[in-house]
Amino acid sequence: MCWGGSFFLNGFTGLSLDVIASGWSHECGLTAAGSAYCWGDNYNGQLGNDVHIDSPLPLPVQGGLSFTTVVTGSGGSCGLTANGDAWCWPESFNNPAPALVPGGIQFTSLSVGGTQVCGVATGGAGYCWGANNYGQLGNGSILNYGQLQRTPVEVIGGLSFSNISAGAEHTCGITVQNVVYCWGQNFAGQLGASGFAPAGGVPFPVKVRGQP
């Protein structure tokens, strides 16, 4: 979740954030110049400062990068640069500093879920990476629990998205035709589709029922 507008932090004279994003137990924000600051839980390296120490005060994200967007989830954060490069942190528990997402894909938007990151690439194709034990990457396959897909894979189906939102272990996207599709974990019917078992995962986009 993100907000616009200036946000002044008590005790930090001169630090003004224009965008703020809330994760599960940490926050990140951007200054007008695109510098990222994060605070809160840092067990996995969510603050992007190369340590694993929690902080109640905003700390600069390592690397001196300038972002146009920052997004957060339960386990980490990502930033999008002006040319569409995605940088995420932590890359792994042993490397909590920001790392360039491989694959050479330029993105227009990103979303960080509980176990996966997804984004809309220039041209509208959807890409996801991370955990895929319930098919939350939407590429037609399921990985064993604990395996990670580190390079973005394209969401199958030839869909063109205007936005993608990553959930805990499922993902949904809205196409340029304003049709919503979801994929991944479905234990509570969160995919919104009929004809699938209530438990387990669906590794490909299914249309949310009730739409034209």
Side-chain angles (χ1 to χ4, degrees):
M1 183 177 293
C2 299
W3 293 269
S6 294
F7 177 64
F8 293 92
L9 298 163
N10 291 332
F12 280 78
T13 304
L15 180 59
S16 175
L17 301 179
D18 282 7
V19 174
I20 186 172
S22 298
W24 179 259
S25 55
H26 74 288
E27 304 275 337
C28 291
L30 294 181
T31 68
S35 298
Y37 287 78
C38 297
W39 61 97
D41 184 10
N42 199 28
Y43 176 79
N44 290 317
Q46 300 98 303
L47 306 189
N49 61 350
D50 208 21
V51 297
H52 295 281
I53 301 173
D54 299 347
S55 175
L57 303 175
L59 299 175
V61 172
Q62 185 176 342
L65 296 162
S66 179
F67 300 110
T68 59
T69 301
V70 64
V71 290
T72 60
S74 62
S77 303
C78 293
L80 199 62
T81 64
N83 67 350
D85 288 337
W87 291 75
C88 294
W89 59 91
E91 180 185 27
S92 67
F93 186 84
N94 294 324
N95 183 18
L100 178 65
V101 174
I105 302 165
Q106 272 68 55
F107 293 92
T108 60
S109 65
L110 296 172
S111 178
V112 181
T115 60
Q116 79 282 19
V117 182
C118 294
V120 178
T122 303
Y127 285 85
C128 296
W129 61 98
N132 196 33
N133 50 304
Y134 289 105
Q136 55 264 52
L137 304 190
N139 68 328
S141 67
I142 293 178
L143 295 174
N144 292 330
Y145 184 80
Q147 289 184 298
L148 296 178
Q149 173 66 46
R150 299 191 180 279
T151 302
V153 291
E154 187 171 357
V155 177
I156 64 173
L159 299 169
S160 182
F161 294 99
S162 60
N163 189 46
I164 291 179
S165 180
E169 293 173 317
H170 75 291
T171 308
C172 292
I174 186 167
T175 69
V176 293
Q177 292 82 24
N178 291 325
V179 180
V180 178
Y181 290 81
C182 296
W183 54 94
Q185 172 68 281
N186 195 37
F187 75 93
Q190 54 264 57
L191 302 190
S194 60
F196 296 95
V202 179
F204 51 85
V206 292
K207 185 187 293 187
V208 172
R209 58 188 171 186
Q211 302 177 99

